[in-house]
Amino acid sequence: MSDVSIILLLALAGFLLGGAYSTWKTSRPMAIVLLVCGVLAAVGAFLWWK
């Protein structure tokens, strides 16, 4: 189950970071929120993996 959780967190991080990249020019505050959430998801996946 933990392997699936790690993969899902990494997929969520990629989705959020991609959203942050695509909204950067139109809405910077929303892009920053998405960036922070994406980084948190990636860090969570990394810490869960360790």
Side-chain angles (χ1 to χ4, degrees):
M1 182 65 174
S2 68
D3 291 338
V4 173
S5 300
I6 293 169
I7 292 170
L8 288 176
L9 276 173
L10 286 175
L12 178 64
F15 181 74
L16 290 170
L17 292 174
Y21 179 77
S22 67
T23 60
W24 182 255
K25 287 191 176 187
T26 58
S27 176
R28 293 227 174 157
M30 185 59 149
I32 291 171
V33 169
L34 290 172
L35 179 68
V36 168
C37 291
V39 168
L40 286 175
V43 168
F46 178 74
L47 291 177
W48 200 325
W49 180 50
K50 285 291 190 172

